[in-house]
Amino acid sequence: MPATPAIPGYFLQFASDNTAGVCPEALAAFNAANAGFVSSYGEDATTREVCDHIRELFATDCDIYFSFNGTAANSLALAAMCQSYQGVICAESAHVETDECGAPEFFSNGAKLLLAPQREGKLDAAGVEHLITRRRDLHYPRPKVVTLTQTTEMGTLYSADEINTITRLAKQHGLRTHMDGARFANAVAALDVAPADITWRAGIDVLCFGGTKMGLPIGEAIVFFDRALGEEFSWRCKQAGQLASKMRFLSAPWLAMLENQTWLRHAGHANQMAQRLARHLEKLPSLEFMPTQANGVFVNLPAEAMVRLRAKGWSFHTFIGGVARFMCSWASTEAAVDHLAADIAASL
Ligand SMILES: *Cc1c(COP(=O)(O)O)cnc(C)c1O
């Protein structure tokens, strides 16, 4: 669908936060990393420095690895956390279940995803406990990991207490805990907490810390708070084709993001743009929302309104159940948000 000529295409883009480009700080670092010859496969000073920076950020001695994308990060992390005959409990709406083409099962050689009901994208203790306890016989995969997504696929947030409740339950039953943090930056910015408080201090063993959606060109960090789980992870990454030989180009942009809180400034901006859109839409009659807690707005637009919006060139996703999803990024502008809100109002 051609965009209105007066409006550049990027202006109309709310399909995902990964439709944005690379933020200026990360791009400058990427270019700066191009100077001269540097040791490969992560044996370089920049990669060591960014790992130290991440340890400082989380105030703990964790192990850090990098992958090209989030599917690999999640799948390889989960594979490192369970055996092929075990199970991984996730929300039925989780990215690992709905958007990774079976990669967690593939890389774990068959561990089964066990789907728990979700409310507003979140697991609750009752649903998790039911999955852990309903079968103990050997004909059913043994639950070994609980994975939760922060920010969730529905744009909502777990509080530190909510995470704690689930991880405590998991640990009581001998399960490990994983967090899909593709939008971890948005969560930290929105909750205004120390990163440690919603990860290892809240019982998370392994975090997939998303870089792409917060403004990097490419790359996610896999952070092992339980370092024993990361043993031999380098080999797993290499076998899966996820070890970058020119690692400096993955790591240097991370360093730029983590310096001077740049990651939180960009994530905070994305969150504010979503809030701005939500404030506009709340004024319209009869629209139902998910709570807008981070950088996504989920609203139940009528089907005809969506058709009209798309005819004007606006790009956004429709979720199961017909909910329209508008994602904001570091690059979203107030002008674009205001224009979108006006066009949504006109479409109703
Ligand atoms: C985007 C995203 C990922 C990573 O997806 P890739 O396309 O593999 O990088 C993982 N989890 C969630 C919740 C996401 O939104």
Side-chain angles (χ1 to χ4, degrees):
M1 187 65 63
T4 313
I7 308 173
Y10 63 81
F11 193 94
L12 296 156
Q13 225 353 310
F14 285 82
S16 181
D17 24 13
N18 63 15
T19 61
V22 182
C23 71
E25 297 85 353
L27 191 57
F30 187 91
N31 285 325
N34 201 31
F37 295 81
V38 168
S39 297
S40 47
Y41 298 111
E43 299 293 322
D44 61 289
T46 309
T47 302
R48 272 195 295 278
E49 209 182 324
V50 73
C51 291
D52 285 342
H53 213 303
I54 290 174
R55 280 186 273 271
E56 224 171 275
L57 181 71
F58 286 98
T60 189
D61 195 13
C62 44
D63 281 338
I64 298 117
Y65 301 87
F66 296 93
S67 67
F68 291 108
N69 65 24
T71 298
N74 283 335
S75 302
L76 296 175
L78 292 172
M81 298 174 77
C82 63
Q83 300 287 337
S84 61
Y85 52 84
Q86 294 177 327
V88 175
I89 295 174
C90 66
E92 60 200 357
S93 52
H95 196 273
V96 290
E97 158 67 9
T98 62
D99 284 299
E100 299 193 353
C101 196
E105 295 92 329
F106 176 78
F107 282 107
S108 63
N109 291 311
K112 187 174 167 69
L113 293 179
L114 307 172
L115 307 187
Q118 56 83 27
R119 259 195 73 223
E120 296 181 346
K122 294 194 271 188
L123 292 168
D124 65 29
V128 171
E129 185 156 38
H130 177 68
L131 280 177
I132 296 174
T133 55
R134 69 174 172 176
R135 293 275 297 266
R136 295 180 186 280
D137 59 275
L138 62 78
H139 304 278
Y140 192 71
R142 283 196 83 178
K144 192 60 188 178
V145 184
V146 176
T147 176
L148 51 85
T149 309
Q150 175 84 313
T151 306
T152 72
E153 289 79 1
M154 307 303 278
T156 54
L157 294 169
Y158 289 92
S159 68
D161 280 349
E162 287 174 320
I163 297 169
N164 254 310
T165 302
I166 288 168
T167 59
R168 216 178 302 122
L169 175 69
K171 305 263 154 145
Q172 275 164 13
H173 291 278
L175 275 71
R176 296 161 179 158
T177 55
H178 168 265
M179 178 178 279
D180 175 351
R183 298 188 179 93
F184 185 71
N186 303 97
V188 173
L191 292 167
D192 195 21
V193 289
D197 288 346
I198 53 168
T199 54
W200 66 271
R201 281 194 201 118
I204 296 294
D205 296 326
V206 182
L207 166 71
C208 292
F209 184 172
T212 311
K213 285 171 183 153
M214 72 177 181
L216 296 190
I218 198 167
E220 322 278 295
I222 302 133
V223 183
F224 285 89
F225 301 114
D226 181 341
R227 298 176 67 190
L229 292 173
E231 215 180 304
E232 303 193 341
F233 197 72
S234 305
W235 281 268
R236 195 180 285 282
C237 278
K238 174 67 188 182
Q239 184 188 50
Q242 289 291 321
L243 177 63
S245 65
K246 292 188 180 177
M247 184 68 88
R248 58 173 146 157
F249 293 101
L250 254 79
S251 55
W254 269 98
L255 201 51
M257 289 303 269
L258 297 180
E259 278 166 358
N260 307 317
Q261 310 266 63
T262 299
W263 67 298
L264 291 177
R265 185 164 47 76
H266 284 313
H269 170 82
N271 294 349
Q272 278 164 23
M273 291 302 100
Q275 285 297 334
R276 187 181 180 93
L277 179 59
R279 296 294 88 78
H280 282 307
L281 299 187
E282 277 161 12
K283 294 181 201 137
L284 304 174
S286 75
L287 290 181
E288 280 167 27
F289 293 87
M290 280 285 157
T292 302
Q293 296 178 339
N295 64 321
V297 177
F298 293 70
V299 54
N300 74 330
L301 294 179
E304 324 80 73
M306 294 201 227
V307 170
R308 288 186 203 109
L309 280 171
R310 291 199 168 102
K312 286 187 174 173
W314 293 102
S315 182
F316 56 95
H317 280 311
T318 312
F319 265 44
I320 305 145
V323 176
R325 182 188 85 162
F326 299 94
M327 294 306 298
C328 298
S329 70
W330 70 270
S332 301
T333 62
E334 291 185 355
V337 166
D338 294 351
H339 194 135
L340 171 61
D343 276 1
I344 291 173
S347 76
L348 294 171

